[in-house]
Amino acid sequence: MDIVFGAKTDVGLKREHNEDSLCADPKLGLFIVCDGMGGRNAGEIASGLAVEIIQKHMVDAHKAGGLPLIGTMNPKLSPETNRLASAVRLANQVVNGASQSKPGQSGMGTTVVCALLNGPMLSVAHAGDSRIYLVRGENIHALTSDHSLVAEQVRQGILTEEQAEKSAQKNIVTRALGVEESLQVDLDEIELVKGDIILLCSDGLTKGVKPAEIAKVLREEKEPQAACDRLIKMANAAGGEDNTTVIVIAVKQVGAGVWHQLMKHVTR
Amino acid sequence: MAANVFKVLLADWMIGGILTLYFLVGYVGDWSNLRLMENATYDLRSFLRAHGQQSEQIEMVAVDQESLNKVGRWPWPRATQARLIENLRAGGAKVIVFDFSMSEPDRSSQGLEEMRALRQRYTAQIASPQTDARQREFYIRELQSLNESEARLDQDAKFATMLNRSAEVILPLSFELGRPEGAESAEPSAAIAASSFSLIDNPRDMASYPPLKVRKMTAPLPAFQLPQVGFGHTTVVPDSDNIVRRDVVLVEYLDRFYPSLALRALSTYLDVAPDDVHVALGKGVKIGDLWVPTDRYMRTRTSFSGPAGTFKPFSAHHVLGGKIPSNTFRGKLVLVGPMAATAGAVPYETPTGPATTGLEVTANVIQNMLTQSSLTVPRWAPAVELSVILLIGVFVVLALPRLGTKWSGIVAGTILASYLGFVVIMYASKGYVLTVVHPSLMLILAYTFLAAKRALLAERGASSDSGASETNRMLGLTFQGQGMLELAFDKFKACPIDDSMKELLYNLGQDFERKRMPSKALSAYQHIGTKDKHYKDIEQRMKRLSAAESAGAGGKSAGSGSLLAEGSDVKPTLGRYEIVKELGRGAMGIVYLGKDPKIHRSVAIKTMRLDEVEADEIQDVKSRFFREAESAGKLSHPNIVTIYDAGEEQDLAYFAMEVLDGVDLKDLCKKRNLLPVKRTLEIVAKVAEALDYAHSQSVVHRDIKPANIMVMPDGAVKVTDFGIARVTTSAKTQTGIVLGTPSYMSPEQLSGAKVDGRSDLFSLGIVLFEMLTGERPFQGESVATLMYVIANQPHPSPFDLRPDLPKPVGAVIDRALQKDATKRYQRGLEMAQDIRALMQGLTV
C-alpha cells in the first residue's frame, strides 16, 4: 500500500510537560498515539514505554514468525490484528510492572490507540480516550469509542453529549494501559480504499476542535504534514489545555490483486 | 514424547541435514531416479550445441527409399555394391565406411552353387577314364566357359578383388555384449586383428579402467577379411532410458581392443596405422595429433549437431548413376549406410530427437572427434560437484533458516542461477558435462520445505496460546530489557529450567550483581542450582554472595532510596520516631515500622518522597497527602484507624498511624474462606457504626471495599484508607485519572451526582453480600456492563447462592442495596441495629 503520512505532537499552552508519545513507522505500517497519566512525569514515562514496547514487539514478530502471543487469539480476526493486540497487552504488562517498581510511578498509565496497515487492511487496537478517525469521501467516522466515564454515561443515556462535555469528570478514563495486570484491548479491522485519510489523535485535539472541522482540514490540505501542523494550531487556538498529538495518513494507492497477495506470502 | 521427536525432526537444520544426506548419497550412489532427471537436463542442454552444421570433411551416402525404388530391394547385388564403392573411390574419397553387414554371401551365390556342382561333375568327367576324347574336349570347353561364367557371376569375388585394390574401405564388425565364452566367440582372422589397437600407454590400469567386453563376433565374409580393409565395431549402447548419448570407442574382444567404426575410420583418415594409435585406458585415444577424450570405460559423449536430418546425405542411386560432381568426395571421409528400414537402418533416439539413423549417429561422432567438440566430463568434475553439494548443504542447514522467507528465496535463487549458468556456459563453450540435479533440487526443496514450515508454524503459532512458558519467557526478557529485574525474575521462575533458561537466569543474576542487589542475585543462582548445581561458576558466585550477605546488615536492596542503609548501626529517625524496619511499599511511598522513643509505642509510618514531585505540583500533592491524614485524623473511633501524627522533613512527607497487625477482608470474600455468618455480621455491624460516626463528622469514605477493612487476630475491625485512592472531583485535575473496577460503587457515585454517607452504606451492603455468599451481587465484564447492572439491575437474592442463610439477612441486604438512596438505610446506626438484632436470633 502506498501512503503519505505526517505526524506532530505539541505540549499545548497550559502544560509544562508533554506526556503524549507517538510512533510513526512506515516500514512496519505501524502508527501509535499514547496519552500518559500519572504523578509528576510518570505520564511521560508510561506513554513512552508503551510506544517503545509495542513497536519492539511488532518488529520482533516481523523478524521471527511464530513468536508467542500474549493473550488469547481471536480466530475471527486476522493474524496481524492479533499480533497488534498481543503487542498492546505486552506493553500493558511492562508499564504495569514499571508502575510498581518506583513509588513515583505508582498508578501510572496511558491511553493507547494504534493502527497497523497491512495490504489493504487496517487493524485498530485501542484502550482509553485517544481516538482514530477515518475520512472517506464526504464523511468522517470515529473508528473507536472512548473508554471514559462520561462516554459510558452518554452511551447509557445518563448524560447527553453536551452535558458530557461540560462534565467535571471529563478526564476520567475507565480503561488504560499499565494500570492493571491485564488489559482488555478493543480491536477492529477495516478495509481501506484509495483516497482514505486516517487520523490518530490524543484528546487534546478533540477537546478543542470538532470532528466536522477536523474533516474539513483533512480534505483541504493535500500534504498530511501540513494538515498536522494546522490541526495543532487549531487545538492551541481553542485554548491549548492539554498536550495534543496527531498523525495523519493519506492512502494513495491500495495494492490489491494477485501480485500483492503473492508478495505478501513471500515476504512474510 | 512423540511430539518432541516430531519437533526435532522438523527443526530447520534437520530438514537441511536430511536433504543434504539424501543428495550426497544419491550422488555417490548414482541413484536411477536422480540419473533420470539428470538425463533430462542433459538432453535439454544438448540443444545449446545443436548448431546444425555439418563438417566439411564428412559426406554421407545413404541407401534411402528413393535409391531402393530406383535400384531394387536390399540387398543389392554385390556387383552394385562394388560399383558404388568404386565410384566413390574414383571420386577421390579418402575413407569409405561401408556400414552394411557383409557376413552373408551374395544372392547370386545360389546359382554359383549349381555351377560349382556342375564344375565338379565336369571335372570328374574330364578325369574319368570312361570319357572318350571328344566328350573330354566338350567337358573341358564347358568347364572353361563355366569358369568364366562363374568368374562373372561370383560377385563376392569381384567385390573382394575391388577391396584388394583399395586402401580406403572400412567394414563393420558386430558383437554382442558380454564376456566371450565357448565356441561362439571365435578367434578373429589376422586381418581383423590388424585393426585392433594394441599400443596401450598404461597397461597396468587395465583393472581400474576395463573397457566394455564383447563376444560372438559377426564379421564380413572371410573373402573380405583382407589386410587392406579396416574393421570397426558397430556396438551402440543406449542409456537406460533408451536414448543414445555415447559412443563406445573401444571394446575388448578376446584380449584385443577393437575401435568403433567411427574411430577406425578416423585413424585411416588421419593416416595413422592402428599400431600407432596411443590408447590411454580410462582417459582417451591419441591418433597422431588428435586427442579423443573418453570416460573411464572408453566412451565418448556425443554432442549432436541437431535432430535427424541435420546431416544431408547423398542418395546412393545418384552416386551409382555418376550424377555427383566429381570433386564432391575428393579427400573426404565418406560414410555409406542404410537410411531405409528395409535396408537395415535402425532408428535411434538421441537427445536432439528420435529416429536418427546409425549412419547419422556415426557421422556426429566422427565430427565430434575431428573438431574436438565432443562432450567430456572434466577430471575435476566429481570434486567440484561434491564440494558444491557439501557447500550448499552447509548453506541450507545453517544460513537458510536464519534468513527471512524473502531473503532466503533471493539468496537460494541467486546461488541456483549462478550454478546453472556456470554449468550451461561450461557446456556450451567447452563441452564440459556437469551434474545439475543434486545442487538444484537441494536448494529448491530446502527453500520450499522451510518456507512451507514457516507458513504453517506462523499460522499455528498464532492460533494456540503456545505455552504460557513461552509467553512468560518473552515477558521476562522484556522486563529485563527495561531494567525491571525483579519482575523479570518472577516471570522466569514460571518457566521450566532448560538450557537456554539457565543462560537467561545466569545473565539475570549478573544483572542483579551489577545493580548491587546481591540477595536477588543469590536467589537467581540458587534457582539455577535446583536443576544444575554445576552450571558455569554459580557455585563460587553463590558462596561469595552468601558470605557477603551474612556479613552485611540483612541483605536489603540498596538501590531504592530506603532510609535504611546496608550495614549501618545507626538507626535513622523521622520526626520524633525511630525507623525500625520497612513494612512494605504503598501506593504513595514506603511504609516503615517506627517507634516513638518517648512512649515506646510502635507506629506505622507512611512516607512520600517530595523530591520526586514537581515544583508546581508539590503543593497539590502535599495537600492531598495530608488531607487523608486530616480526614482520618479528626476521626477517633475504635473501628477507624487512628492517625497519631503527620509531618514533613527535608524531602519526605509522612504521617504516623497505628500499626495494624491483621488482614484485610479481600481473602475472606472467597467462597472457601468465608467466615461464619455471625462473625461476618459482627464485622459489618462494626463498620456500619464506624461509618455512622464518620458521617456525623461530615467525612464520607467513598471507597468502602473489602481491601479497606481490616480484622485483627483479637477480633478488632478497622476501616482504613480514607482518601488515598479516591476519585476526586476537583476541577483542577489535569492529567486523567483512571477508575478501578467500580464493583462497590453506588449508583449515584457512578452517575457523578452528589454523594453522601448513604453511598458508603450501599458499598457496605455489597461487602456484606460478598462476605456471606462469596460472590459479588453486581458483576460485569466491562466497566460499561457493570455500570449498567449496578444502576438498573436488581441485586440477586443471596439465598440463591447460599440457601442456609438466616432469613432476616435478606431484608438487610435488600434495604442496603436500594438504588434510590432515599429508600436505603439513612444512617449507619440503623443498619448496625438491624444486623445486631438478627444476630441475637442466631446461634452460630
Side-chain angles (χ1 to χ4, degrees), chain B residues 484-517:
Chain B
M484 298 190 255
L485 303 180
E486 286 161 312
L487 288 164
F489 191 32
D490 284 340
K491 292 295 171 194
F492 285 157
K493 276 197 274 201
C495 304
I497 309 177
D498 58 13
D499 281 336
S500 60
M501 204 60 225
K502 288 184 206 161
E503 183 78 36
L504 292 177
L505 286 166
Y506 186 77
N507 288 337
L508 188 65
Q510 289 184 307
D511 273 350
F512 276 129
E513 286 192 66
R514 272 180 226 123
K515 284 211 165 169
R516 290 179 290 148
M517 295 159 84

Side-chain angles (χ1 to χ4, degrees), chain A residues 15 17 19 37 40 49 52 57 69-70 73 90 93-94 97-98 106 152-153 156 171 173 266-268, chain B residues 406 459 462-463 471 474-475 479 482 484 487 587 612 614 733-739 750-751 784 788:
Chain A
R15 301 282 175 98
H17 293 278
E19 291 183 329
M37 53 191 78
R40 207 207 169 187
L49 192 54
E52 183 190 329
H57 186 72
L69 282 182
I70 312 279
M73 192 224 188
L90 178 65
Q93 294 229 8
V94 175
S106 165
E152 287 297 342
Q153 289 172 329
Q156 298 203 9
N171 277 326
V173 168
V266 168
T267 59
R268 190 142 61 104
Chain B
K406 174 168 117 181
E459 297 292 319
S463 66
T471 318
M474 187 168 75
L475 280 171
F479 281 133
Q482 294 297 319
M484 298 190 255
L487 288 164
E612 284 180 356
E614 202 142 335
T733 311
Q734 299 204 342
T735 55
I737 295 178
V738 182
L739 215 58
L750 289 171
S751 68
Y788 178 81

